[in-house]
Amino acid sequence: RDFEYRRKQAGQLASKMRFLAAQWIGALETGAWLKHAAHANAMAARLEHGLRALKFVSLVYPRQANSVFAALPDEAVKELHDLGWKFYNDVGPDGAARLMCSWDTTEADVDQLVADIGRALQ
């Protein structure tokens, strides 16, 4: 019934698309998208390296971009969720955790996640 109102409130009108497109134009013209993607990929590489050093963690798919897929025991997943980490753990036939890095993921974030996973596995 209020579809048109909700659509307008969400900025989904053609007249508003210029506002949505502006950030993408800027990111493409300045190369920021590539810088941000490279950073996210580097953080995933750091995460992969940290996880490889932990016992009881197996990487189920090769890291190719900004994601790492790891098999974690259910108890560790629960503990990590309780600590506030948010990730899906139902990827693939073995239920791997999908750990994503983004443009704003810091080295400290990655190191903290690896440390928390290590503690959760003890």
Side-chain angles (χ1 to χ4, degrees), residues 11-26:
Q12 299 300 315
L13 297 176
S15 65
K16 306 287 188 207
M17 292 308 289
R18 66 184 179 279
F19 297 116
L20 298 175
Q23 62 188 338
W24 289 106
I25 292 169

Side-chain angles (χ1 to χ4, degrees), residues 11 20 70 83 90 92 94 99 102 108 121:
L20 298 175
L83 288 171
D90 58 357
D94 299 326
L99 307 172
S102 72
L121 292 171

Side-chain angles (χ1 to χ4, degrees), residues 57-77:
V57 174
S58 62
L59 302 180
V60 294
Y61 301 114
R63 182 194 53 79
Q64 297 177 332
N66 65 325
S67 56
V68 176
F69 297 91
L72 301 172
D74 290 339
E75 305 81 34
V77 169

